[in-house]
Amino acid sequence: MRRATLARRLEVGRVQGASFAWQRAHFGAWCVVSAPLVLGLDLTDTANLASVVPIVTNPEAIAVNQQWAGHPGRLVAQFDPPAAPPAAPAPAVRRRAFSAGEASAGEGRPAGEAALPSAAKAKVQVWAKPQPKGTVAVYVVNPAASGNAARVSVGFEALGLAATSASVRDLWARQEAGHTKGATLTVEVAPLDSAFLLLTPAGA
């Protein structure tokens, strides 16, 4: 019996302020782990629906999701994202004194001085899912909100690809993207974006 990975309804069309690339990244994550592709957005919001239709109707991404082969997709590797450029120095804040009765705890702090908790550094992740005839779907996501593009390299053996060279198809662009040799796949992904590729071993 087929068992789908536990990923609930799609977040595509539900992430407020998300770019097209980041909405698409969410869809790719559901596809590579064989999760049910259940839309959770408001279908009466025609403008929002129109913006995500090109994502959720991508036949090549959906094909990866629908291919089972006894494998739901797996996390292959994780990497730290590139360091973000140094932030510009904060403007100087002019301080003034507050009396004990004027400010209670946490109040009266000059603007810009509040110490916000730093978010945990998100990892760049590489996922792989076997496909028919020895091909492998590879999904790479860079969840960093800013910074430089992440450049990652993963060996074919880790991806489950029995070859030393392979042709590469870009599933997002739905076009061929050349070849990779040396039994290694190298991918560059911008912040809040993803790559979704199909590797076909040479001669397959």
Side-chain angles (χ1 to χ4, degrees), residues 126-148:
V126 181
W127 291 74
K129 182 183 176 185
Q131 298 292 288
K133 300 180 180 179
T135 61
V136 176
V138 180
Y139 171 77
V140 185
V141 61
N142 180 1
S146 61
N148 299 318

Side-chain angles (χ1 to χ4, degrees), residues 11-195:
E11 294 301 307
V12 179
R14 293 166 48 84
V15 185
Q16 294 296 319
S19 66
F20 178 88
W22 192 232
Q23 301 270 19
R24 185 178 62 184
H26 279 255
F27 186 66
W30 261 247
C31 287
V32 81
V33 298
S34 305
L37 301 180
V38 181
L39 290 175
L41 54 84
D42 181 1
L43 296 180
T44 66
D45 185 344
T46 55
N48 185 38
L49 184 62
S51 71
V52 301
V53 161
I55 299 172
V56 300
T57 59
N58 183 318
E60 297 186 34
I62 293 172
V64 170
N65 173 267
Q66 295 297 297
Q67 289 293 346
W68 177 235
H71 200 301
R74 63 189 173 88
L75 179 62
V76 172
Q78 298 187 83
F79 304 89
D80 287 326
V93 177
R94 191 170 186 175
R95 301 171 185 268
R96 72 180 181 89
F98 288 84
S99 66
E102 184 181 5
S104 58
E107 296 178 343
R109 180 176 290 149
E113 284 200 328
L116 298 176
S118 58
K121 183 179 289 187
K123 298 282 188 179
V124 177
Q125 295 187 343
V126 181
W127 291 74
K129 182 183 176 185
Q131 298 292 288
K133 300 180 180 179
T135 61
V136 176
V138 180
Y139 171 77
V140 185
V141 61
N142 180 1
S146 61
N148 299 318
R151 183 178 177 87
V152 301
S153 295
V154 183
F156 282 7
E157 184 176 356
L159 297 172
L161 194 67
T164 56
S165 63
S167 62
V168 181
R169 183 167 180 82
D170 185 336
L171 301 183
W172 289 150
R174 295 166 61 185
Q175 64 184 21
E176 299 303 321
H179 293 76
T180 182
K181 300 179 180 179
T184 301
L185 173 68
T186 299
V187 184
E188 191 169 284
V189 182
L192 294 181
D193 202 351
S194 63

